[in-house]
Amino acid sequence: MALTAIALCSRALLKIGATGIASFDEGTAEAEVAANLYPSLRDALLSSHPWNFATAQGRLARLAAAPVADFAHAFQLPADFLRALSAGAEARGRGLPYRIHERRLHCDAEAVTLTYVFRPPEESFPPFFDQALILRLAAEFCLPLTESTSRAELLHRLAEEELRRARLIDAQEETPAAVEDFTLIEARR
C-alpha cells in the first residue's frame, strides 16, 4: 500500500503514542512537529544511500556561463536533485572528474550524463524504505512530543537497525558490483 507524507508521519506519531494527523496544517503540536521535521528527515534518509528506487540518470543542460576556475563548463542540476553519484560523458554514467558548486555541476566535458539520487514521490517508496523512514521519524518526533530521552534513544537504535535492513534489501535488487581497473588483477593476466 502506497503511503503519503501524512500517512508516514501519522504512523510515526502512533509509534510514540501520540495522535496521528490528517494534515500538516491542523494546528496541533503533532502536526507542527511533523511539518517542520518531515521534509529534511525524508531528504536526509534518501540522500544517505544510493537507493535503487531513488536513483536516476539524465543528460544535463550546459549553462552559458563558464565556471570561474578549474573546469571549462557548468551544467544545470535536475530540479529533484539530492546527491550526485557519478558523472560521465556521452552514454556512460561515470568516469568524469567533476565538482558540484553553487548547485551546478562543473567539469571539462562538452556533455554530461549524471547518475544521481532524486526525491521521488512518497507513494513510490518501497515498503522497506517506508518502515525505515517511519522509525526514523518516530525517533525524531519523540523528544519534542514526549520529552523522553530514553525512549528517543531506543527509537534511534531501532531506526538504525531498520535502515541497515532496508539497505540490505535494496542492495539485493541489482547485480553486485564487479572489480574494474584494478592493477593487481591486470598484473596477473
Side-chain angles (χ1 to χ4, degrees):
M1 182 173 120
L3 299 176
T4 64
I6 296 295
L8 290 164
C9 289
S10 287
R11 289 185 181 192
L13 289 164
L14 293 173
K15 282 198 177 284
I16 63 170
T19 305
I21 59 172
S23 164
F24 287 127
D25 301 321
E26 66 186 32
T28 63
E30 291 85 354
E32 184 178 337
V33 166
N36 284 303
L37 295 180
Y38 175 75
S40 61
L41 288 170
R42 175 204 55 213
D43 289 354
L45 199 58
L46 284 167
S47 298
S48 72
H49 179 75
W51 304 102
N52 289 311
F53 70 92
T55 300
Q57 287 185 316
R59 289 197 172 87
L60 301 183
R62 196 163 98 189
L63 299 170
V68 173
D70 300 328
F71 292 102
H73 304 289
F75 295 85
Q76 181 65 53
L77 293 172
D80 58 359
F81 172 86
L82 290 175
R83 178 173 82 117
L85 298 174
S86 63
E90 303 299 322
R92 190 163 166 86
R94 57 194 163 94
L96 279 180
Y98 68 92
R99 179 186 317 139
I100 304 291
H101 190 68
E102 295 179 347
R103 298 284 300 164
R104 294 185 305 256
L105 184 138
H106 293 183
C107 74
D108 289 328
E110 297 286 326
V112 173
T113 299
L114 180 69
T115 303
Y116 65 101
V117 175
F118 71 99
R119 182 184 306 110
E122 282 82 354
E123 293 80 11
S124 70
F125 292 170
F128 62 84
F129 186 80
D130 284 345
Q131 292 309 307
L133 180 56
I134 288 167
L135 270 171
R136 180 62 189 269
L137 291 168
E140 295 294 332
F141 293 175
C142 188
L143 197 56
L145 293 173
T146 68
E147 297 181 5
S148 172
T149 56
S150 59
R151 187 192 240 169
E153 288 171 5
L154 172 63
L155 285 167
H156 274 287
R157 282 194 302 276
L158 293 173
E160 283 303 312
E161 288 173 22
E162 192 65 29
L163 183 57
R164 275 193 293 280
R165 189 174 81 68
R167 286 179 175 150
L168 178 63
I169 292 169
D170 187 69
Q172 294 171 354
E173 292 185 337
E174 64 183 306
T175 305
V179 176
E180 296 178 15
D181 301 327
F182 189 58
T183 55
L184 291 177
I185 291 174
E186 293 299 318
R188 290 189 60 153
R189 291 186 182 166

